[in-house]
Amino acid sequence: MAKRDLLAHPIEWVKGKGSNSNIAVSSRIRLARNLSDFPFTHRCDHEKLYAIVDKVKQVILDSDLLKDSDVVEMDALDSLSRWVLVEKHLISPPFAGDGPGRVVIVDSKGVISIMVNEEDHLRIQVILSGLELNEVWRIAKKVEMTFEKLDYAFDSDFGYLTACPTNVGTGMRASVMVHIPALEMSKQIATLINECNRIGLTVRGTYGEGSDVLGSLYQISNQITLGLGEEELIDKVASAVRQIVTEEERARAVMKRKLDSSLDDRLWRAFGVMRYCRNISTREALELISLIKMGSDMEITPKLSVEDWNNLVLGVQPNHVQLYAGKELTPDERDVYRAAFLRERLKCIEPK
Amino acid sequence: MMCERCQEREAEVHIKQIINGEVKEYHLCRECAETMGLEGIDLFPHFNFDLSWENLLGSLFEPFAAKELRRPVRTEIKCQGCGLDYSTFQKTGKFGCPKCYESFRDYIKPLLRKIHGADRHRGSKPELSYIEKDATGDELEQLKKELKEAVEKEEYERAAKIRDRIRELTSKGDGSDGKA
Ligand SMILES: [Zn+2]
Ligand SMILES: [Zn+2]
């Protein structure tokens, strides 16, 4: 398969079909699994890494669920393509680095992605748009069972065994990305983080621990993986997210009720800047996109669908901008192309 | 809002980061942001989706090492599967192979309790159902043997767990445990 095809691969979560996808952008579950007969990835030599890859490929050929998937060797991709996959949330940032035997499998709908020889032999990931963790879990478990014949490393005390003790047990990380600009503006994020931590949940930036919070997008996920069942962990995350959605809606309603000229101006100004800018950083672009999305949800600025919004958020990322330009760019050049991209997209969104 | 660094120009760059569960906010003017190198966004830090080991490392090992283990780690334990020694694991936070868990079993339970607040898995199991069904009988026999052994060796904690598992198996009856 040609690498450009994978970059143009449909991604289901972007379409914004799930419930509450205005605020709960996407739901993701990741399962870590290892084969019992092999050392963990970081202690495997070439031969073992490729032996694992071969076993996985064989399972895919025999699987109705996965046989139409794209199977791509990371080494066959240039660096730009790898980072585009990271921006799409199909692979993790460390997986985009160097090293032999890394393969990513993406199903034809762009719901399932499987990293082979990441920190664990298998990192099975399923993403859907909206707050849909139960459905995501159902799919993830189905995929996981497809590979069960490879004989997972499992211990009746410790559960599924992983290279790092922080993932052992269920090997599961369930996370939901939320867009909460109104909670941010009303200074409620610190409280939210405290509350989440108190019940065993973690709040992170868009691309994980230590990454910046951009465009008011936060990830809510389970902190522990051992001692609770998968459904219990999922319920925790889901019920926290439901509350966050309610709080965000409430904060927006309050803002709308006492809408002053300064907020009104800020939202429209964001629209104007995006429509006419000539040079814009990722950070500023994401902030403006967040504002015009909230403005659209509050019926102040023109309607922006969830799908268009998701495509804007992806499109302004550094590697997507280079994909848009069709060539590698310096950071300064990127800011110019990013502005061009935004102008082009905003042309189609008309103020009434 | 004024730039919090120079207090001269309007703050135009607003940066939020979550570090160890705390939000840090910076409000800077363009010039200051650039001098501080903050315009190059740290979209992808070295951390993964997961909990970072570096954050845990300091606090985890020290407190339990002396207290919770009756046997001091005098002779270095090694994994029978891959040869990784326990002190290397302590340094890196990564196991070498699945058998490491078995080899270091008693040593890592306190560690798991620190990380997860639990040391026992309660989630799903490999469930190739045809194996499960056939295995139940054999597993029961095996567990009874292990129970006897554990009691003889006065490993009561282990015995209790085996007993629980036997109870689980025998109470199933119809072979379904309710959850798919
Ligand atoms: Zn300044
Ligand atoms: Zn080992």
Side-chain angles (χ1 to χ4, degrees), chain B residues 27 98 102 150 169:
Chain B
H27 306 281
E102 180 59 48
L169 284 175

Side-chain angles (χ1 to χ4, degrees), chain A residues 103-123:
Chain A
V103 169
V104 64
I105 297 145
V106 184
D107 79 312
S108 54
K109 291 195 197 120
V111 171
I112 303 161
S113 71
I114 302 161
M115 287 178 276
V116 185
N117 291 326
E118 214 250 25
E119 180 180 287
D120 296 297
H121 298 149
L122 291 174
R123 286 275 173 106

Side-chain angles (χ1 to χ4, degrees), chain B residues 126-145:
Chain B
E127 48 186 319
L128 285 173
S129 47
Y130 57 94
I131 294 181
E132 271 272 79
K133 264 178 207 148
D134 289 351
T136 307
D138 290 346
E139 198 187 342
L140 209 56
E141 283 314 304
Q142 178 63 30
L143 284 170
K144 282 179 185 161
K145 238 184 264 166

Side-chain angles (χ1 to χ4, degrees), chain B residues 3 5-9 28-29 31-32:
Chain B
C3 166
R5 186 161 172 269
C6 63
Q7 305 286 344
E8 275 173 18
R9 288 170 291 255
L28 304 165
C29 68
E31 284 83 349
C32 289

Side-chain angles (χ1 to χ4, degrees), chain A residues 28 30 33-36 38-40 42-43 83 86-87 92-94 118-119 123 125 137 141 145 148-149 152-170 173 175 184 187 189-190 193-194 197 202-205 207-214 216 218-219 221 223-232 281-284 287 317-319, chain B residues 1 12-23 25 27 30 38-53 55-56 60-61 79 81-85 88-89 92-102 104-106 108-109 111-131 139 143 158 161 165 179-180:
Chain A
R28 161 163 59 163
R30 186 225 60 199
R33 293 291 184 265
N34 289 279
L35 278 49
S36 65
F38 291 84
F40 292 127
H42 68 111
R43 308 257 295 186
W83 285 101
V86 175
E87 289 173 353
S92 65
E118 214 250 25
E119 180 180 287
R123 286 275 173 106
Q125 186 185 262
W137 165 240
K141 189 65 193 165
M145 287 180 70
E148 201 173 82
K149 60 182 81 140
Y152 291 142
F154 182 86
D155 179 284
S156 58
D157 271 359
F158 299 141
Y160 293 97
L161 304 178
T162 52
C164 186
T166 55
N167 295 319
V168 75
T170 57
R173 206 67 68 181
S175 72
E184 244 180 23
K187 306 249 176 292
I189 301 296
I193 293 179
N194 280 335
N197 290 347
T202 309
V203 182
R204 295 185 177 121
Y207 288 91
E209 176 79 32
S211 66
D212 292 2
V213 178
L214 296 168
S216 306
Y218 293 79
Q219 263 187 66
S221 62
Q223 171 125 29
I224 64 154
T225 56
L226 180 71
L228 288 177
E230 289 88 348
E231 276 98 351
E232 290 172 289
S281 68
T282 312
R283 179 185 309 282
E284 188 185 0
E287 256 162 42
Q317 312 276 335
N319 296 283
Chain B
M1 188 187 302
E12 284 181 73
V13 182
H14 308 279
I15 294 154
K16 278 181 240 74
Q17 290 186 324
I18 303 176
I19 296 156
N20 294 333
E22 268 181 61
V23 202
E25 289 194 54
H27 306 281
R30 262 171 201 283
L38 289 169
E39 273 291 274
I41 298 173
D42 195 14
L43 265 183
F44 310 113
H46 310 293
F47 301 111
N48 202 350
F49 196 29
D50 306 307
L51 223 64
S52 92
W53 182 253
N55 291 347
L56 287 167
L60 287 178
F61 285 112
C79 169
C82 68
L84 183 86
D85 51 49
T88 307
F89 164 68
T92 62
K94 293 252 165 71
F95 292 110
C97 78
K99 290 188 189 68
C100 287
Y101 281 90
E102 180 59 48
F104 307 145
R105 183 173 293 271
D106 295 332
I108 57 181
K109 281 188 177 176
L111 172 69
L112 294 176
R113 285 198 289 274
K114 284 255 173 186
I115 299 174
H116 300 281
D119 58 13
R120 189 159 167 81
H121 176 58
R122 281 181 46 213
S124 68
K125 301 176 188 131
E127 48 186 319
L128 285 173
S129 47
Y130 57 94
I131 294 181
E139 198 187 342
L143 284 170
R158 191 161 86 98
K161 271 178 193 141
R165 177 71 187 138
K179 277 182 182 168

Side-chain angles (χ1 to χ4, degrees), chain A residues 20-171:
Chain A
N20 291 103
S21 62
N22 268 325
I23 293 172
V25 184
S26 60
S27 298
R28 161 163 59 163
I29 283 181
R30 186 225 60 199
L31 294 173
R33 293 291 184 265
N34 289 279
L35 278 49
S36 65
D37 290 341
F38 291 84
F40 292 127
T41 308
H42 68 111
R43 308 257 295 186
C44 278
D45 56 20
H46 252 253
E47 197 184 318
K48 289 204 171 80
L49 292 173
Y50 284 100
I52 292 167
V53 170
D54 287 344
K55 279 172 180 282
V56 171
K57 281 184 178 165
Q58 194 52 51
V59 173
I60 289 169
L61 288 177
D62 297 339
S63 156
D64 285 339
L65 183 65
L66 295 167
K67 63 170 185 262
D68 294 330
S69 305
D70 288 325
V71 179
V72 181
E73 293 245 4
M74 292 305 288
D75 278 348
L77 298 178
D78 56 26
S79 159
L80 174 63
S81 310
R82 292 183 207 166
W83 285 101
V84 167
L85 297 182
V86 175
E87 289 173 353
K88 287 180 194 285
H89 294 288
L90 287 176
I91 64 172
S92 65
F95 205 63
D98 288 316
R102 287 162 310 137
V103 169
V104 64
I105 297 145
V106 184
D107 79 312
S108 54
K109 291 195 197 120
V111 171
I112 303 161
S113 71
I114 302 161
M115 287 178 276
V116 185
N117 291 326
E118 214 250 25
E119 180 180 287
D120 296 297
H121 298 149
L122 291 174
R123 286 275 173 106
I124 297 163
Q125 186 185 262
V126 175
I127 314 187
L128 287 175
S129 102
L131 177 55
E132 299 288 351
L133 279 177
N134 289 325
E135 177 62 7
V136 169
W137 165 240
R138 196 186 63 77
I139 300 168
K141 189 65 193 165
K142 217 159 120 189
V143 178
E144 192 257 4
M145 287 180 70
T146 309
F147 292 100
E148 201 173 82
K149 60 182 81 140
L150 296 179
D151 192 15
Y152 291 142
F154 182 86
D155 179 284
S156 58
D157 271 359
F158 299 141
Y160 293 97
L161 304 178
T162 52
C164 186
T166 55
N167 295 319
V168 75
T170 57

